[in-house]
Amino acid sequence: QGDTRTATVATMQGMAKQHVILVAGPGRAIRDALRGAQLNKVNFAMTNILVVPYETGLTEADRASKPSGSGFGDRPTYETQPYVAEPVGPGWEEFIEAEMQTAIKQAGEKVRDDGIALVVANDGKVLRRGVGRVPWKQMVDELEEAVTGEKKESTVPFLEFLE
């Protein structure tokens, strides 16, 4: 209970067969994304998804001084869910910046404020790149479809407009 371990994304995908949804952007975009993920957490458990938030605009000192979640300076519950993994190790900043630059070329500078999301299946294939609010249900369905090969049908077709 509450134990954490450090592992590479490759290990999580190869050994644990976890899909990864990487969300990167300023604090507001990360908070919005994690709150949205918390509303859909039942789907994460069933489909073996790991959410990796990367807040842009922080220095290494800022990252190191983030509260651990025990005692004073508790972190919000949406940051401490079992499906949320903190990015650790070298290379994240360069990787995120390269993804941001690609997104900026396609969607303009607003990307830096809106944030980006990358959906990576457990085989390492990038299924989707997006800008702005994360459509969690759609992402989960796409990952499930990528694994099973079956398109998920809505159980109540006349309510599809609510998604």
Side-chain angles (χ1 to χ4, degrees):
Q1 298 280 26
D3 292 346
T4 60
R5 293 182 218 145
T6 301
T8 65
V9 171
T11 299
M12 296 307 295
Q13 290 181 313
M15 304 288 278
K17 299 295 182 207
Q18 287 197 288
H19 307 294
V20 174
I21 299 178
L22 172 67
V23 182
R28 179 191 44 75
I30 297 300
R31 282 188 300 278
D32 289 350
L34 290 177
R35 286 181 184 134
Q38 190 173 19
L39 294 173
N40 288 284
K41 67 182 168 187
V42 172
N43 292 335
F44 293 115
M46 292 175 4
T47 51
N48 211 13
I49 295 173
L50 192 62
V51 177
V52 180
Y54 185 92
E55 188 173 343
T56 57
L58 296 181
T59 65
E60 284 306 311
D62 291 336
R63 288 185 202 291
S65 68
K66 233 180 171 183
S68 66
S70 57
F72 293 109
D74 281 349
R75 295 167 72 178
T77 57
Y78 56 80
E79 285 186 8
T80 59
Q81 296 297 314
Y83 54 82
V84 176
E86 194 171 318
V88 294
W92 282 100
E93 188 172 343
E94 294 82 6
F95 173 72
I96 297 299
E97 184 55 31
E99 288 293 334
M100 283 284 188
Q101 288 301 323
T102 300
I104 287 169
K105 287 177 189 169
Q106 296 172 1
E109 282 294 325
K110 71 180 180 98
V111 167
R112 290 211 184 272
D113 293 328
D114 294 345
I116 59 172
L118 273 77
V119 181
V120 186
N122 59 12
D123 61 2
K125 180 180 177 188
V126 176
L127 298 180
R128 173 188 285 263
R129 286 179 166 89
V131 175
R133 188 171 294 274
V134 179
W136 290 108
K137 183 171 180 356
Q138 182 181 352
M139 300 290 185
V140 170
D141 289 350
E142 284 182 23
L143 281 166
E144 196 172 307
E145 182 181 336
V147 171
T148 64
E150 298 175 11
K151 186 154 178 67
K152 187 170 181 174
E153 295 297 324
S154 175
T155 53
V156 188
F158 64 89
L159 292 179
E160 284 184 350
F161 69 92
L162 293 175
E163 295 182 346

